[in-house]
């Protein structure tokens, strides 16, 4: 059976999660990408074909002129609609491309949730190239959040408090990415969480989620995530109802939301598995073949009624971040250890000698620390002790 995997740059989710899972399932994998050399270096034994994967027509043509597909899949935020359209063209199991588009396009998401009565967030859209001053008459209260309409990883997401700041931030983002449309929406108060789900179109499993701690305003860098085995049932019910309104329910989905005074409201829907190595931790913590399950749904196989997931897990992820631009002079290397029943894995995300600007996004991450155990207090202590013993030095 042949799996076509659409990708941009190589990611840990694909390299350490989906490709090993595909091998265990005995699948022949063809990677379609606009960055073929990067994938050939990362996976020299894999078939990699160059393709304009952002264009669903190019994807369909590339597949149609190669081997017959059994599944078309992507874990990229940017390529969900294209993969869904290509899979539908070949009559294969797929996400509804409309739902994929609603999830990716934050303006569509807000409009659709309001239209269906699921939730209304006051927002306005600024088309690419348009003068931000048109936003001054919009019905959006301060403080509000400015973000790219189709952005990811908190890039160019910023909190603003008045009209002058709104205009300034919009112009700054337009200068960096003139092709991007922007969305301005009211700031939703509350603690930030995630909900991780897996469905086959009929059965949907809730895998738990995370409590996310962010950097200080005005930016929204995810610095720490703590596993939440089960959110309160009323909260889960509210989020699932909003996902149903969007048409989201096939394959993996990573939903970010806030809870304030019992009300749960979606921040964004990422219609794919959670990233930044959280998916690798989740598979280990729940002790389930998570990546195989995701791929099987795209092969048309139903999910089991019971995934057999462990329920006694505790976990935490930490992302040491650069706080200045410069060259990384010293940093810890990869670490795998077990202490007091806590399994700890650290992976650097920058090479010694690399120079980076400060982005105020997850591109500022220096590394990722994953820790799992059965007692949250012990997990937290082991993580804190490990981080306190490490040093990251950045020279201007």
């Amino acid at each position: 059976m042949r799996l076509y995997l659409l990708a941009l740059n190589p990611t840990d989710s694909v390299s350490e999660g989906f490709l090993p899972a595909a091998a265990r399932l005995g699948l022949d994998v063809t990677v379609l990408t606009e960055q073929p050399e990067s994938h050939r270096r990362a996976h020299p034994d894999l078939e990699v074909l160059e393709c304009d994967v952002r264009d669903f027509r190019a994807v369909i043509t590339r597949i149609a002129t190669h081997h017959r597909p059994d599944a078309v899949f992507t874990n990229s935020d940017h390529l969900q609609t294209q993969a869904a359209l290509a899979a539908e063209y070949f009559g294969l199991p797929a996400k509804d491309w409309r739902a994929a588009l609603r999830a990716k396009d934050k303006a569509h998401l807000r409009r659709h949730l309001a239209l269906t009565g699921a939730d209304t967030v006051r927002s306005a859209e600024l088309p690419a190239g348009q003068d931000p001053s048109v936003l001054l008459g919009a019905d959006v209260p301060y403080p509000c959040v400015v973000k790219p309409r189709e952005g990811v990883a908190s890039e160019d997401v910023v909190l603003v408090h008045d009209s002058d700041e709104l205009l300034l931030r919009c112009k700054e983002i337009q200068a960096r990415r003139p092709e991007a449309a922007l969305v301005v929406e009211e700031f939703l108060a509350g603690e930030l969480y995630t909900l991780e789900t897996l469905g086959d179109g009929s059965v949907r499993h809730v895998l738990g989620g995370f409590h996310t701690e962010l950097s200080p305003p005005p930016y929204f860098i995810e610095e720490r995530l703590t596993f939440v085995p089960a959110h309160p049932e009323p909260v889960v019910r509210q989020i699932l109802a909003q996902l149903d309104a969007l048409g989201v329910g096939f394959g993996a989905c990573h939903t970010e939301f806030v809870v304030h005074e019992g009300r749960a409201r979606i921040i964004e829907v990422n219609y794919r598995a959670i990233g930044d190595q959280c998916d690798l931790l989740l598979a280990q913590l729940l002790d389930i073949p998570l990546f195989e399950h995701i791929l099987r749904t795209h092969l048309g196989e139903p999910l089991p009624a019971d995934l057999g997931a462990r329920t006694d897990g505790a976990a935490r992820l930490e992302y040491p971040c650069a706080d200045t631009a410069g060259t990384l002079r010293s940093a810890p290397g990869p670490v795998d250890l077990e202490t007091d029943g806590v399994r700890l894995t650290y992976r650097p995300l920058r090479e010694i000698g690399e120079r980076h600007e400060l982005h105020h996004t997850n591109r500022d991450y220096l590394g990722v620390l994953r820790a799992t155990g059965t007692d949250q207090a012990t997990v937290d202590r082991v993580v804190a002790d490990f981080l306190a013993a490490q040093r990251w030095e950045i020279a201007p």
Side-chain angles (χ1 to χ4, degrees), residues 154 192 212-217 219-224:
S154 297
L192 181 61
T212 306
E213 296 178 53
L214 299 171
S215 61
Y219 303 107
F220 297 87
I221 308 170
E222 297 177 357
E223 296 184 337
R224 179 181 302 113

Side-chain angles (χ1 to χ4, degrees), residues 342-354:
V342 175
R343 187 173 168 185
L344 187 148
T345 300
Y346 176 78
R347 293 291 181 266
L349 297 177
R350 285 191 191 176
E351 298 286 340
I352 302 295
E354 280 189 35

